[in-house]
Amino acid sequence: MNSITFMNPGFFWLLLLLPILIAWYFWKRREHTATFKVSSLAGFKSNSWLAKLKPFLFVLRLLALAFLIVAMARPRTVDVSSKTKTTRGIDIVMAIDVSGSMLARDLKPNRLEGLKVVAKDFVEARPNDRIGLVLYAAEAYTQTPVTSDKAIVIDAIRKIRYNNVLQDGTGIGMGLATSINRLKDSKAKSKVIILMTDGVNNAGFIEPETAADIAKEYGIKVYTIAIGTNGMAEFPYAYGPNGTFLFKMMQVEIDETLLKNIAKKTGGEYFRATSNRKLESIYEEINKLETTEVEELKFYDYKELYRPLAIIAGLLLLGEILLRQTLFRSFI
């Protein structure tokens, strides 16, 4: 019954007539048949079942009235389905630094793994946007083109590893330029690059300032995130005899001035992530800054239920009239 609604529930007030009619019936019951007084009723005793069923006619009329009132209240079931439509979407490219310094342990378990967790949550929180993934060190390449398939992007983020595929170093200009190339032809309302790095630009043949100018020309907004604590952090500096990294405390070097200039020039913002929680809050803030306009369309499918009730009421009235004019005619 939870799925049944009534279009005209005010008609239920008419149900108050039923107890009034019942009281009226019993009050006037003696007037329904002719009576006369005699000294003895022995000669008039009858066991006719028709006489005993006489009140049944009134019950039929009450039931017919009850069904008619419920039909007038117009019961119906409704099936609601909704569909969301992105009216003004955003295309986003996440440019992630995968140089060796991203294995530093000032974030837990290290910068790269901490970033992957937050980046995955960010993608899941943007169901109506297209997202791409660019990885860079001294060079850069597109890991995932801009796509609306979030499962592909999330899987690509999970598989990010430090390896020797890219020459080690930090080519901020290369990562930014490759990201711009993925967005320059986009027709989206807003085009955004989230550039993450933990170092200074020391590789690549494209200057970060030049890439920022290009981004501005294409109307691409760049949010820059510097990853790393202030002061010292455990950095990998060599391989041990067993092939694992050796770590030592080193000074954290991040070109914050460069990252601030890139963000300012393109209309974005600069952030500094000194911990896992701080990195998470940065992504939450970017998520709020870049909102997508979504239109929700709701479809209502109504199934009217009053017709069967009206038919039942009509049949009950018809049955009462037929019985009154046939079997019970001599008793009324």
Side-chain angles (χ1 to χ4, degrees):
M1 290 293 291
N2 291 335
S3 61
I4 298 178
T5 60
F6 294 89
M7 190 172 180
N8 305 310
F11 281 107
F12 281 122
W13 289 103
L14 294 176
L15 291 175
L16 295 176
L17 293 174
L18 298 184
I20 296 174
L21 291 175
I22 293 173
W24 176 84
Y25 175 79
F26 283 103
W27 180 262
K28 297 290 185 177
R29 186 175 181 182
R30 289 187 176 184
E31 298 180 5
H32 290 176
T33 56
T35 61
F36 64 95
K37 295 180 180 180
V38 293
S39 59
S40 174
L41 298 177
F44 295 93
K45 287 184 178 180
S46 174
N47 293 321
S48 173
W49 59 272
L50 288 175
K52 295 179 180 180
L53 290 179
K54 176 184 172 183
F56 178 68
L57 297 178
F58 182 69
V59 173
L60 288 179
R61 186 172 296 184
L62 287 179
L63 288 175
L65 181 59
F67 276 104
L68 187 59
I69 291 173
V70 176
M72 290 167 63
R74 199 170 175 180
R76 60 183 181 177
T77 59
V78 57
D79 180 26
V80 183
S81 59
S82 61
K83 181 180 180 182
T84 58
K85 177 185 177 183
T86 303
T87 56
R88 301 187 71 187
I90 299 175
D91 280 357
I92 301 171
V93 169
M94 292 189 292
I96 299 177
D97 186 347
V98 291
S99 59
S101 59
M102 286 292 288
L103 300 178
R105 295 173 175 173
D106 46 354
L107 272 69
K108 303 300 178 185
N110 58 51
R111 294 174 179 176
L112 186 59
E113 292 301 318
L115 171 61
K116 286 165 57 177
V117 172
V118 178
K120 181 177 71 68
D121 293 340
F122 177 79
V123 172
E124 291 176 341
R126 311 289 301 192
N128 301 300
D129 300 316
R130 300 198 310 162
I131 299 178
L133 188 63
V134 167
L135 305 182
Y136 72 95
E139 306 165 288
Y141 70 94
T142 301
Q143 177 77 2
T144 305
V146 177
T147 177
S148 57
D149 192 334
K150 302 303 183 296
I152 292 177
V153 180
I154 291 172
D155 185 62
I157 292 172
R158 288 198 188 102
K159 293 179 179 178
I160 295 176
R161 300 285 187 276
Y162 170 78
N163 52 48
N164 295 322
V165 173
L166 297 177
Q167 181 182 348
D168 205 6
T170 304
I172 295 174
M174 298 295 292
L176 184 54
T178 302
S179 301
I180 293 169
N181 194 46
R182 307 314 312 179
L183 290 174
K184 62 184 180 65
D185 296 323
S186 170
K187 304 299 182 183
K189 173 209 72 165
S190 182
K191 295 174 282 187
V192 172
I193 294 173
I194 303 175
L195 179 73
M196 294 153 279
T197 186
D198 67 343
V200 297
N201 186 67
N202 56 20
F205 55 85
I206 299 178
E207 291 298 323
E209 292 85 354
T210 303
D213 289 332
I214 297 172
K216 182 179 179 181
E217 287 296 319
Y218 282 107
I220 300 172
K221 190 185 301 182
V222 182
Y223 291 96
T224 55
I225 303 176
I227 302 176
T229 57
N230 295 312
M232 306 290 285
E234 279 190 281
F235 278 85
Y237 71 94
Y239 285 102
N242 59 355
T244 60
F245 281 107
L246 298 176
F247 290 82
K248 67 177 181 180
M249 297 299 293
M250 297 175 63
Q251 183 69 35
V252 175
E253 294 184 33
I254 299 175
D255 193 343
E256 291 191 85
T257 301
L258 172 63
L259 297 178
K260 289 177 181 178
N261 289 338
I262 293 173
K264 183 178 180 181
K265 183 178 292 186
T266 60
E269 291 191 27
Y270 166 76
F271 302 94
R272 179 71 181 269
T274 56
S275 66
N276 294 65
R277 183 66 192 96
K278 180 62 177 175
L279 181 60
E280 183 179 344
S281 67
I282 288 170
Y283 268 92
E284 290 173 355
E285 186 170 349
I286 295 174
N287 195 32
K288 294 176 183 177
L289 290 171
E290 295 296 331
T291 56
T292 303
E293 294 182 15
V294 178
E295 179 184 1
E296 184 178 21
L297 304 175
K298 285 192 174 183
F299 302 91
Y300 297 86
D301 182 21
Y302 292 102
K303 183 179 180 182
E304 299 288 351
L305 302 178
Y306 71 90
R307 293 183 183 89
L309 297 174
I311 292 173
I312 292 173
L315 292 176
L316 289 172
L317 285 175
L318 180 62
E320 191 243 351
I321 292 172
L322 291 176
L323 290 173
R324 186 182 295 273
Q325 298 297 324
T326 54
L327 293 178
F328 292 92
R329 185 172 185 177
S330 61
F331 294 93
I332 302 174

